[in-house]
Amino acid sequence: MSNSLHFTGRIGVLYGGNSPERPGSVASAEAVFKALSNAGMRAEMIDLAEVGANLRDRIDVALLACHGPGGEDGKVQGLLEQLGIPYTGSGVLASALGMHKPTFKTLLAALNVTPRDRSPCWRSTPWRAP
């Protein structure tokens, strides 16, 4: 099996925006950008707070390193679909449903899936692989 990567297009690592989860998004994007660059791929970090109409001219595919509202709620996915730019992760509907907890819980109930409550789960002993 070969470890070589064959994609030669321009990868936009989308991150940031104005979400309270911005610091985590920046850290994720920096790690992904570094890995892509080290692999010899053409990558560019693009802050969601600065995304403009020229995005289609800048990248061929978007790698989403977005966290929180604006990045995980279907908005950026919808923009990318309108621009015809393929992207990583879930689509518009799945993202929107996943971020809107009341609607997601209603969907789960309709499928007879009971969500866990919000109480934390703590292990008394570390988990070990079998």
Side-chain angles (χ1 to χ4, degrees):
M1 184 166 110
S2 171
N3 287 333
S4 64
L5 301 173
H6 299 287
F7 182 75
T8 59
R10 301 164 298 170
I11 303 167
V13 181
L14 275 58
Y15 73 97
N18 297 316
S19 163
E21 298 181 42
R22 178 181 174 83
S25 177
V26 172
S28 295
E30 287 173 345
V32 168
F33 175 78
K34 181 179 178 182
L36 291 171
S37 296
N38 288 343
M41 305 197 82
R42 295 189 302 165
E44 173 185 357
M45 289 183 58
I46 301 172
D47 192 335
L48 289 176
E50 301 169 4
V51 169
N54 69 338
L55 190 59
R56 190 178 324 157
D57 299 327
R58 292 170 63 184
I59 64 173
D60 298 309
V61 65
L63 193 149
L64 304 183
C66 314
H67 298 273
E72 289 182 299
D73 58 6
K75 292 176 184 169
V76 71
Q77 292 84 352
L79 169 67
L80 293 167
E81 288 196 11
Q82 289 295 313
L83 294 174
I85 298 172
Y87 56 91
T88 60
S90 299
V92 176
L93 181 58
S95 298
L97 285 172
M99 284 292 285
H100 193 262
K101 302 309 181 217
T103 302
F104 188 68
K105 287 181 179 182
T106 300
L107 176 64
L108 290 177
L111 298 170
N112 295 318
V113 175
T114 305
R116 299 220 12 111
D117 63 18
R118 294 183 65 143
S119 61
C121 296
W122 302 103
R123 290 185 181 268
S124 59
T125 58
W127 180 83
R128 300 213 190 282

